[in-house]
Amino acid sequence: MKTAGMALEQLSEVVQRCALPDDSYTTEDHNIFTVAGRTCIEEGNSAQVLSIVLDEKNQEIVRCMGWNLLPPLIQVLLKKEDKNLPQCLAIFNHLLETCRPKELLIGLLEQLEQDDPDTIVESLHLLLKPLQKVLLCLGGRKASSLGMALSSVLDQVAKLPLPHTKEQEEDDVFSFCRCCTDMIDFVRPFVQEVRHNLLNNEMQSETTNRTVGRQGKDKEDELRTELLKFCMKSLSHPLLEVHLKDPDTLALSPLRTFATEILNILGSIGESIAGLVHQPLLKRKQVPGFLEEEVRYPKESLASLAHLVFVHHLAADTFPTVFSPVFSLRCNIEHVSLLLSRTEESKLQKGLELYEKSLVRVEDGSLRADLLEIKTFLTVPQNLIKVMTICPKHELRTKGLKVFQLSIDKFNTEAKYRFFQYMLKTSNHSGVEGYIIKNIKNQIDIALQPGNSNVWFEGVQLMPLLRKVLILPDGPETDLLQYLDRIMESLNLLRYLVIRDKVTENQTGIWTELYKIEDTFMKPLRVGVNMSRAHYERELQNTMEAKKSKAKEESVLSVSVGGEELPSMTPESQIQALHSALHTFDMIESVLARIEELIEVKDNL
């Protein structure tokens, strides 16, 4: 192990020996310079190293090998409290001025790699300015190096915790917002360069030498592509994962500012925000030699962009108003479909918000049935059902139901009819089916109002839909508790039709179809109620007898409710559940009996 004195002596020797052209340096010279120089800095001899580094006759070796001293220098600069800090900062700055840019780039990027969040923040804050300076020294060769630097920076930022509450963002408790600001400052001169090049290209005459122009454009396009990648990655992370606060909630929002800056960069490098948002429907020109479309414009990034534009109204001044609400909905539903197919709550929330904002701009009852031939207009409701039924967060389930109803309201009568048919066929969820049946009842009620007649929710067209509603999925063996929501809404609809539609008018066709409904729905339902009641009464009797005989509490009865076996319960809980089931059967039977009475009364009129 070298002492500080030995290391300083070795460093002085190798520097003196190497006052030669760089191609005469040996591997051993490099190793001695690196090890001895780092040891001197680590052991506190920074003043002596600074003297050697600044010496005019040593500039050639410093230019070639100096970048190897970056690791210990950066460690001192990150600690800040070291007594050798001024000397180390002076060495660091001299190396930035003297060493070859390519080697400095490698050395700085190596030092960016950290794991501790606090160290990541400090290293980014310390190294981004030097990195920017080095990259600007590379001239026309900097595009790939910029891409490598931006990729490393974003990888580091991805390791930081995100601010989710207003307080976390306001106080920047994780220093995440500071890093976002640093990133924007870092890319600014490169954005300005691309913007300047684009403006120059626009001003160039058609007669300009095309060969020279093409070579210059290749360099510009490479730089532009790297900045586009940066924007696309930033839209995906962090912007798709954080919840931006409205100005009313947080007047000065660093995250909102970062999002605005990303959109501004896209505009500055020649990307149309409207074109990106509407990309699913617009054919973009193929640029030879560039990334494939989905790699160049990742779908998640475009969905995030659409959310920023339509929900937070960012870049609204650059967004043309010529697009109709239906066209925007048609584009945005592709983004919504992607977001709602995910499981992360942040993406589900953004999907719901984007769908809601896209729908509210559309006039009620204006969406035609042919839209249902587009796959996403059917997959989005299926994804909404998953949010409504299995999402753990109550607020998202409630929001999902609200948006689901809003989407129904926007369809015209034929589209509603076809949508209800599709949902009854595919939802496979009693609660959802019950909700659809309730909507069917509302549409029939509207159709029966004076002046509102339509061909879809009365007469001949209505009957095929009613046949899908007024039926037991498994006949008398149907699990009545599992299908309770559907059964009760079906009964309510049938009761409404019997009361509302006169036998003599038969607007809905219910009276000519009633004998079939009795065979396929009412009679099987009564049989099912009797069978289920008998089963549960027997289970109740067994449980009560077991309780009386003081059976062990661990000895539990297997009881099936809603198609699922109940977990182990005490006898008291079992008895309560069985009573609840019997009460449900009584309720079904009561509504059924009232419908039968109404039918009899109407028949006798």
Side-chain angles (χ1 to χ4, degrees), residues 327-340:
F327 179 78
S328 293
L329 171 65
R330 174 69 187 86
C331 294
N332 282 342
I333 202 165
E334 303 295 330
H335 303 309
V336 170
S337 179
L338 179 80
L339 293 172
L340 292 183

Side-chain angles (χ1 to χ4, degrees), residues 531-549:
M531 288 169 55
S532 298
R533 182 188 286 113
H535 171 71
Y536 276 78
E537 284 176 345
R538 186 168 60 253
E539 297 288 3
L540 178 61
Q541 185 179 358
N542 292 341
T543 306
M544 294 180 74
E545 287 175 359
K547 183 186 175 186
K548 284 180 182 177
S549 62

Side-chain angles (χ1 to χ4, degrees), residues 447-448 457-460 462 500-502 505-510:
L448 294 180
F457 289 97
E458 56 180 324
V460 178
L462 178 60
R500 179 69 177 78
D501 198 4
K502 296 177 181 177
E505 294 181 3
N506 196 24
Q507 287 175 273
T508 62
I510 188 70

Side-chain angles (χ1 to χ4, degrees), residues 42-56:
E42 289 164 357
E43 297 296 334
N45 287 331
S46 301
Q48 291 87 335
V49 176
L50 176 61
S51 178
I52 292 170
V53 165
L54 292 177
D55 194 324
E56 188 63 35

Side-chain angles (χ1 to χ4, degrees), residues 18 41 62 162 182 203 223 249 259 277 280 402 419 423 450 472 493 504 519 523 537 583:
C18 292
I41 295 168
V62 171
L162 296 173
D182 288 344
M203 294 169 64
L223 193 60
T249 306
V277 169
K402 177 186 174 185
F419 181 73
M423 295 310 296
L472 283 181
L493 172 58
T504 52
D519 288 340
K523 289 177 182 176
E537 284 176 345
H583 174 72

Side-chain angles (χ1 to χ4, degrees), residues 204-398:
Q204 276 183 348
S205 167
E206 289 269 344
T207 58
T208 302
N209 185 301
R210 293 185 181 278
T211 305
V212 175
R214 181 68 253 171
Q215 288 173 347
K217 197 168 187 308
D218 284 343
K219 296 296 182 187
E220 165 229 313
D221 282 342
E222 289 171 14
L223 193 60
R224 180 179 170 280
T225 297
E226 296 304 337
L227 290 170
L228 177 61
K229 283 185 197 172
F230 166 71
C231 291
M232 290 293 121
K233 286 180 181 177
S234 297
L235 285 167
S236 180
H237 180 92
L239 292 175
L240 192 54
E241 296 173 27
V242 295
H243 182 67
L244 295 190
K245 311 296 182 293
D246 290 325
D248 293 342
T249 306
L250 186 60
L252 296 173
S253 164
L255 290 177
R256 192 180 179 89
T257 301
F258 178 67
T260 304
E261 291 285 359
I262 292 295
L263 269 58
N264 288 341
I265 291 171
L266 285 169
S268 296
I269 64 173
E271 290 290 343
S272 160
I273 300 299
L276 290 172
V277 169
H278 294 142
Q279 200 247 17
L281 294 192
L282 299 177
K283 287 186 177 179
R284 302 182 65 84
K285 63 179 180 180
Q286 294 298 313
V287 186
F290 284 109
L291 301 169
E292 291 294 329
E293 196 80 353
E294 285 191 18
V295 178
R296 191 173 173 84
Y297 303 103
K299 290 182 179 180
E300 273 202 355
S301 302
L302 296 180
S304 176
L305 177 64
H307 183 269
L308 292 173
V309 171
F310 281 89
V311 177
H312 294 289
H313 309 295
L314 299 190
D317 54 335
T318 68
F319 207 84
T321 56
V322 296
F323 299 113
S324 72
V326 176
F327 179 78
S328 293
L329 171 65
R330 174 69 187 86
C331 294
N332 282 342
I333 202 165
E334 303 295 330
H335 303 309
V336 170
S337 179
L338 179 80
L339 293 172
L340 292 183
S341 69
R342 302 297 190 250
T343 55
E344 301 93 323
E345 287 184 359
S346 62
K347 293 175 184 176
L348 293 176
Q349 181 170 346
K350 289 181 190 299
L352 292 172
E353 290 171 347
L354 179 57
Y355 197 25
E356 182 179 38
K357 288 290 184 180
S358 304
L359 287 168
V360 293
R361 299 172 67 241
V362 175
E363 186 181 348
D364 283 359
S366 65
L367 296 181
R368 301 189 315 272
D370 55 9
L371 284 174
L372 295 174
E373 295 171 13
I374 299 168
K375 185 180 177 183
T376 40
F377 275 89
L378 296 178
T379 56
V380 165
Q382 294 290 358
N383 289 329
L384 269 177
I385 287 171
K386 290 177 184 174
V387 174
M388 288 155 48
T389 56
I390 62 176
C391 180
K393 195 170 182 180
H394 174 74
E395 292 85 349
L396 290 182
R397 294 199 305 273
T398 305

